[in-house]
Structure formats: C-alpha cells, structure tokens
C-alpha cells in the first residue's frame, strides 16, 4: 500500500527549532512586547538621572565615588519592583501574540513538534528579558556619564565607569528573574489568557515585597530580583559586587528547572479540542 | 481491481471527551483527487474528526492513516504534506497578509517563492501588504486557505471554510476549491453542516450523525437514495378553506402553511384539473408547482429519521 506514496521525511529537531525561532522573530514585528523590551529600561534611568541632576549634591558625600550610590539607588527601584512586573508583562504580551490569534491549533498542525515550539518561545522570552536588562544597564551607565558632563561637581567622570561590577550585577539580576519567568511562561501557556497570568504575577510580586522580612523569603521567586541586590558590597568606595550566587538565586534556578519540566509535561498532553 | 488507495482512511475511529463518546467506529475513506464533503449537523463530530486527522487530538495507533501511513507514528512527516484550515483561520492581526504567510512559510522551511505564489492563487496579491486587521471576513478566509496551500499539499483539510462568509464569498471559495481540484489535482476534505454548500462541488460525500458515519460514497449515490415521490405544492389564500371546499380532490393534502397545501404528484392532467377546480371554487391560486425532494431533504432525512429510530 505504501508503495503508492513517496517515502516520508521529517525535519530534524534542529531544523524544527531554527524554523520556529525564525517564525517567532517575525511575529514580534511591531508588537507591544518588543517596544516594552526596548523602552522599559529608560523609565527608571530617567528618574535616577533627574534625581541626581537636581538633588545629587545632597545624596553624595564630598569626595565619594558616586557610581556605587547611583547604581544602588537606581537598581533598587528597577530590579526590586519594576523588573518582576516587567517579566510578568513581557511574558504575557509575548504569548498573547499566539493566544489572540488563536494560533495554537494552527501551529500544532504544522510539521514542527511541540518541543520545538515551546523551546523557541522560551528562548525568545529569555533573549528579550536579557536584552531589556542589558539596555537598562547600558542606559544607566550612559546616564552616569551624562551626569558627569552636566554636573561635573558630582565627580562621575573622575572615577572609572564600573563596567565589570555592572556586568556581574546584571548576571545576578538575570538569574534572579528566571524562576518567576518560568512560572509566568507556563501560566500563560496553560490559561491562554492575558489577564489571568498578569493578575497572578502582580499578586505574587506584591506579596513577595510585603513578605520581604519572612525567614523563607529566599524561596519565593518573585522576591529574588530584590534579594539579589545583596550582592552589592556596602562600601563608600568603588562599586563592588560579589560574584557568587545567593541562595535566592539558586532557588530561582531550581524553580526554573522544575516548573518548566513539569509544565512542559502537562502542556504536551493537552488536547486541542 | 485497480481502485486507487484512499488518501485518508480511518479504521473504527472512536473518541471520548471524558465520559461522553463523540465518535463511534468511524470508517472514512477519502479517494485521491476527490472533493469529499464531510457533512453533518452541528455537534455531530465533524470538528472532532478533523482534529483527529491532524493529530490535534490523540488517535490510537492504526486508527488514522494518511497517504497510507499511520498518523500516530509519523505525525510530523505526514503533516508536512497536509494543508489545513480549521474554522476561523489563525491570523496575526498586527502583521500584513504577506507576513502572515511568511510566518508559516518559515515555520515549514519552504522556499521564499511560495508566498507570492499562494497570494496569487487566492487573489490577494494587491492587498498583501495591508495589515490583516483591515481585511474583510472573506479576505481572511482566503488568506487562511493560502496558509493551507503554502506547502503545495496533495491533501487539504478544510473545516467549515465558508463559515461566516456572505453568498459571494461562498461562491468565490467554491470556485477556488474547484480550480484546486481540477487544475492542481488536490484532494480536498471539506466539512460543512449545509449540504447546499457542497452539493455543487463534492464528488464524494460522507454524512455523520451523532458520531456515526451514516452514509459514505459518491455524490450520485446519495442522490439515488432519494426515492420519495414528487409533490404538488399549491399556494393559495387559506389552505384549510380549500380543503373543506374540495374534499374529494384535496382531502389527502397536507397543510404546510396557512396558505400552502401539498399532495402527492400523479400527472400533468392532475395539475390542470386542480387548477381548474380551485378557480371554480372561487379560491385565489398564486402558484401551482411540482416539487422533487431536494438533496437537502435527503440529507435531513438521513441525519434526522435515523436519529428518531
């Protein structure tokens, strides 16, 4: 019977992933998810810039290296509150591209496995998350240099730009977002809605910030970005960041691995009714 | 016998949603180069069958074969040869029609030339660079068909592709599908709850009722099933009065509506006689015609009378 039909050919897993990713990139064109990624870092940087431009002389002691105080002050707002909310919103916006188009039935009827579709979306989300954080850190560094030009008496240009410590801090913050990113990712895929996972993320972030002094807070992935600030050494001198991962960051990685594994197992069995 | 192998076969295909069994031992056979109209009332199991044929719902090993291969074992490879449109097409409103096609073209790893080719087939080339959110329902449906045509599939699975289209949209879609079969040799499985939509298009028909396939075969065979006699239909003012005035001639007639009577057709002379009698009885005669039961009626009979049994 099979002789009547040509032999079967299946795309390799690598080809499936490459194709999914290329298709996902195209879908990003002109979406809110892309604009959020590119622009959201500018907001906390602009606030810090204005604060230091107008009130910098009260915030720095004479002769102090301004970078440490400046980075800590900005990073606190940005990573403590804004970063978890950013990840919540980004995840929902990215997956809402498919949910809004009711595209899942179409995607699952293409010769690309569910694993490739899952991995491609996850990869894109991680990439956008990383890009947004890099843009933020880059803008923060640039704003410090700008302050050095506009307000020379704050001495930003008299001290070296702490590029190394900034990168280490960036690494901490990125790892700290992974746990909550995985939870939001699976929630958005499972509920196929925009509002429900955003509500979950908002609630969890607010709860985490409220419970910051709880002895088990390092297990809560939504608190991890704020906790990763503890990697900054409290000195009056140059910015110094501890390289080792904190307990909250290890646990964020643990959440990431466990939630994605269980979530993928559940989603794979989902029927497209 | 050189009967060509069917492109789609299902073997005792059954499916349950929880406790509720929605398909009972369905044995489809869709011959190559056919337009197979898959008919049934809403909720009869058409969509479930279509989803099983695409592996969107899991079918047991051996239950579904496409191109002679088992779907459960070779799903991805087989999907590479199938184009599908499931109800409303999945379109990204923020992208243009062209980019919507590009998304699926990249996903399937097809050559770049396919996008303009399918745009031309569905006659959307001039609107290709407008965002899809500006498209009419008919244009969206044609773009959905273009998505299904991208991989140059031998087999097209279309689930209610004319849902929500206006009459001219339905006609355009019908012309397009006829062209695809006649000129490009596609096999098309098209589901619908309206026989009128497929009767001028389909070569073969399968009728599903409450999860069971109650008829399958060439369209002509369905037409032959119709053996009920023709009727004379009379349109007048007051059907009941006519019946009372002419008990001998109209006593056996059924009242279809307050002004409509029907009785078994016998001969042209009977028609002339009835006209004369009604006029002499002083009753207005708006219309007098002979009606052969339509395919639609046959379809309703298959899907409804067996339901009562």
């Amino acid at each position: 019977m099979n002789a009547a039909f040509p032999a079967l050919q299946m795309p390799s897993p690598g080809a499936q992933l490459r194709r999914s990713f290329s298709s996902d990139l195209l879908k990003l064109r002109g979406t809110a998810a892309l604009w959020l990624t590119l622009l959201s870092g500018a907001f906390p940087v602009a606030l810090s810039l204005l604060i230091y431009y107008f009130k910098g002389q009260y915030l720095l002691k004479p002769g102090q290296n301004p970078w440490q105080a400046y980075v800590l002050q900005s990073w606190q707002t940005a990573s403590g509150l804004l970063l978890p909310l950013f990840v919540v919103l980004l995840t929902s916006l990215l997956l809402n591209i498919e949910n809004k188009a009711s595209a899942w039935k179409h995607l699952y009827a293409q010769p690309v496995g569910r694993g490739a579709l899952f991995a491609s979306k996850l990869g894109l989300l991680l990439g956008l998350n990383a890009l947004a954080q890099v843009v933020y850190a880059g803008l923060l560094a640039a704003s410090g240099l700008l302050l050095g030009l506009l307000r020379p008496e704050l001495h930003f240009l008299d001290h070296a730009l702490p590029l190394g410590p900034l990168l280490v801090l960036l690494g901490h913050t990125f790892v700290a977002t992974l746990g909550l990113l995985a939870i939001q990712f699976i929630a958005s895929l499972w509920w196929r809605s925009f509002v429900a996972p955003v509500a979950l993320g908002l609630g969890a972030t607010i709860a985490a910030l409220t419970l910051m002094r709880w002895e088990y807070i390092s297990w809560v992935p939504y608190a991890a970005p704020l906790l990763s600030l503890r990697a900054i050494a409290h000195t009056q001198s140059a910015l110094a960041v501890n390289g080792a991962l904190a307990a909250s960051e290890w646990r964020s990685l643990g959440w990431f691995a466990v939630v994605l594994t269980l979530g993928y197992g559940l989603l794979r069995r989902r029927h497209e009714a | 016998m050189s009967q060509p192998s069917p492109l789609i076969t299902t073997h005792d295909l059954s499916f349950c949603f929880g406790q509720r069994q929605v398909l009972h031992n369905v044995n489809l056979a869709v011959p190559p180069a056919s337009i197979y109209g898959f008919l049934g009332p809403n909720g009869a199991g058409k969509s479930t069958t279509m989803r099983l044929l695409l592996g969107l719902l899991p079918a047991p090993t051996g239950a579904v074969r496409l191109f002679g291969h088992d779907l459960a074992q070779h799903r991805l490879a087989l999907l590479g040869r199938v184009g599908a449109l499931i109800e409303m097409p999945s379109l990204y409103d923020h992208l243009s029609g062209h980019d919507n096609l590009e998304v699926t073209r990249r996903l399937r790893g097809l050559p770049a030339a396919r996008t303009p080719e399918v745009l031309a087939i569905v006659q959307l080339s001039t609107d290709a660079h407008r965002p899809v959110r500006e498209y009419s329902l008919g244009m969206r449906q044609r773009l959905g068909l273009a998505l299904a045509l991208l991989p140059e599939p031998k087999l097209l699975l279309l689930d209610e592709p004319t849902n929500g289209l206006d009459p001219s949209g339905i006609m355009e879609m019908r012309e397009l599908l006829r062209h695809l079969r006649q000129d490009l040799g596609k096999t098309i499985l098209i589901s619908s709850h309206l026989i009128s939509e497929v009767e001028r298009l389909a070569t073969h028909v399968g009728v599903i009722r409450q999860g069971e396939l109650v008829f399958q075969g060439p369209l002509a065979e369905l037409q032959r099933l119709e053996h009920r006699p023709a009727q004379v239909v009379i349109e007048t003012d007051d059907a009941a009065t006519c019946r009372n005035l002419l008990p001998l001639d109209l006593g056996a007639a059924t009242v279809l509506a307050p002004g409509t009577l029907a009785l078994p057709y016998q001969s042209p002379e009977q028609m002339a006689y009835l006209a004369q009698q009604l006029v002499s009885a002083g009753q207005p005669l708006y219309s007098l015609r002979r009606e052969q039961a339509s395919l639609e009626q046959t379809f309703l009979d298959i899907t409804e009378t067996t339901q009562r049994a």
Side-chain angles (χ1 to χ4, degrees):
Chain A
M1 187 179 188
N2 293 3
F5 303 108
L8 291 174
Q9 277 179 330
M10 197 180 88
S12 71
Q16 290 178 37
L17 187 59
R18 221 173 27 251
R19 290 169 183 179
S20 300
F21 196 74
S22 149
S23 150
D24 276 337
L25 271 183
L26 178 56
K27 285 176 222 168
L28 209 54
R29 184 179 287 179
T31 57
L34 184 60
W35 287 115
L36 182 76
T37 301
L38 295 176
L39 298 181
S40 62
F43 177 58
V45 170
L47 286 179
S48 299
L49 181 74
L50 290 174
I51 292 170
Y52 269 70
Y53 181 76
F54 290 109
K55 305 282 179 189
Q57 66 276 22
Y58 306 116
L59 297 166
L60 296 170
K61 294 195 179 82
Q64 185 189 346
N65 180 336
W67 285 104
Q68 204 251 5
Y70 186 63
V71 168
L72 185 63
Q73 183 266 342
S74 171
W75 212 280
Q76 223 157 11
T77 341
S79 76
L81 179 65
L82 297 182
L83 188 57
L85 296 184
F86 164 78
V87 172
V88 166
L89 202 54
L90 176 70
T91 312
S92 281
L93 283 173
L94 185 66
L95 292 172
N96 203 47
I97 297 175
E98 308 297 347
N99 294 338
K100 205 174 76 184
S102 42
W104 295 106
K105 61 178 162 54
H106 174 72
L107 295 178
Y108 288 162
Q110 306 301 317
V112 172
R114 291 189 182 197
L117 293 171
F118 183 89
S120 157
K121 273 273 181 281
L122 180 63
L124 187 59
L125 179 59
L126 289 172
L128 290 175
N129 181 25
L131 176 63
Q133 295 188 32
V134 168
V135 166
Y136 162 70
L139 287 174
L140 187 63
S143 72
L145 297 175
L146 186 64
L147 277 172
L149 290 173
L150 299 175
R151 299 284 310 268
E153 67 275 22
L154 298 179
H155 303 291
F156 273 91
L157 294 182
D158 301 338
H159 300 272
L161 172 72
L163 206 54
L166 264 181
L167 285 174
V168 177
L169 190 55
L170 208 50
H172 278 288
T173 321
F174 182 72
V175 170
T177 54
L178 293 181
L180 78 109
L181 178 140
I183 296 173
Q184 293 299 129
F185 184 66
I186 297 296
S188 299
L189 284 173
W190 186 257
W191 281 322
R192 294 194 179 171
S193 103
F194 180 78
V195 174
V198 166
L200 167 80
L202 272 177
T205 305
I206 291 166
L209 294 180
T210 316
L211 297 173
M212 206 40 97
R213 303 180 71 169
W214 187 34
E215 69 262 41
Y216 297 115
I217 193 67
S218 65
W219 288 95
V220 180
Y222 294 81
L226 187 57
L227 291 174
S228 65
L229 278 177
R230 293 181 183 166
I232 301 179
H234 282 270
T235 58
Q236 291 286 313
S237 56
L239 180 69
V241 180
N242 182 2
L245 286 187
S248 58
E249 288 157 3
W250 282 113
R251 283 162 196 165
S252 169
L253 283 173
W255 277 101
F256 183 73
V258 171
V259 168
L260 288 179
T261 310
L262 290 180
Y264 181 62
L266 280 175
L267 288 164
R268 242 176 60 131
R269 275 164 193 78
R270 189 196 186 103
H271 291 176
E272 288 307 305
Chain B
M1 289 294 284
S2 64
Q3 188 86 337
S5 313
L7 235 53
I8 302 176
T9 48
T10 66
H11 178 70
D12 288 342
L13 182 62
S14 298
F15 194 77
C16 298
F17 281 117
Q19 294 290 309
R20 198 166 54 90
Q21 185 155 15
V22 285
L23 286 184
H24 307 264
N25 302 324
V26 171
N27 291 297
L28 285 182
V30 178
S34 63
I35 295 186
Y36 185 107
F38 188 41
L39 297 165
N42 287 329
K46 297 186 303 289
S47 278
T48 305
T49 308
M50 299 296 258
R51 280 163 161 76
L52 283 160
L53 293 180
L54 288 167
L56 292 174
L57 294 171
T61 304
V64 178
R65 299 183 84 82
L66 302 181
F67 302 94
H69 298 279
D70 181 41
L71 181 69
Q73 287 174 33
H74 306 284
R75 201 176 77 89
L76 288 189
L78 287 170
L79 287 179
R81 296 190 195 171
V82 177
L85 170 57
I86 303 289
E87 288 167 356
M88 302 305 279
S90 305
L91 301 177
Y92 303 101
D93 280 347
H94 65 288
L95 297 178
S96 66
H98 175 272
D99 285 351
N100 264 282
L101 287 165
E102 276 294 298
V103 163
T104 298
R105 184 192 68 73
R106 290 187 185 188
L107 191 58
R108 299 189 79 126
L110 301 166
R114 282 304 291 158
T115 298
E117 282 168 26
V118 292
L119 279 168
I121 295 177
V122 301
Q123 295 168 10
L124 279 177
S125 303
T126 47
D127 296 299
H129 292 282
R130 281 171 56 195
V132 161
R133 77 173 80 87
E134 294 173 5
Y135 278 23
S136 70
L137 211 53
M139 290 163 78
R140 295 176 73 91
Q141 217 66 14
R142 277 187 283 151
L143 187 60
L145 188 61
L147 283 170
L149 290 171
L150 265 176
E152 297 189 77
K154 289 302 255 186
L155 177 61
L156 276 172
L157 299 183
L158 309 176
D159 190 13
E160 308 258 356
T162 51
N163 246 1
L165 293 188
D166 57 16
S168 74
I170 293 176
M171 259 163 65
E172 275 174 30
M173 182 66 89
R174 194 184 290 146
E175 281 313 306
L176 195 53
L177 295 179
R178 198 174 282 146
H179 161 71
L180 289 173
R181 181 182 99 87
Q182 285 173 356
D183 307 331
L184 303 175
K186 311 275 185 217
T187 305
I188 303 171
L189 173 65
I190 171 174
S191 82
S192 176
H193 58 276
L194 299 170
I195 187 152
S196 54
E197 252 179 38
V198 298
E199 65 174 311
R200 269 171 285 173
L201 186 65
T203 57
H204 292 71
V205 178
V207 180
I208 190 169
R209 196 249 331 151
Q210 292 195 323
E212 286 178 63
L213 197 62
V214 287
F215 173 84
Q216 175 168 255
L219 185 68
E221 218 168 277
L222 183 65
Q223 280 157 338
R224 273 200 297 277
L225 273 187
E226 182 49 62
H227 43 66
R228 280 174 318 165
Q231 285 189 317
V232 182
V233 178
I234 301 164
E235 304 273 3
T236 174
D237 232 0
D238 185 346
T241 311
C242 292
R243 233 165 61 140
N244 292 338
L245 286 172
L246 304 165
L248 281 181
D249 308 310
L250 296 176
T254 44
V255 180
L256 299 180
T260 311
L261 283 161
L263 68 164
Y265 172 82
Q266 286 157 4
S267 61
E269 291 75 25
Q270 173 207 21
M271 306 265 283
Y273 173 74
L274 283 172
Q276 192 193 0
Q277 289 297 93
L278 280 163
V279 172
S280 359
Q283 293 300 309
L285 181 59
Y286 302 132
S287 143
L288 177 69
R289 61 183 187 274
R290 182 192 149 167
E291 265 187 13
Q292 188 71 49
S294 65
L295 206 53
E296 190 147 10
Q297 201 55 52
T298 316
F299 171 63
L300 281 176
D301 285 350
I302 298 178
T303 52
E304 280 172 9
T305 50
T306 29
Q307 210 159 359
R308 277 181 228 122

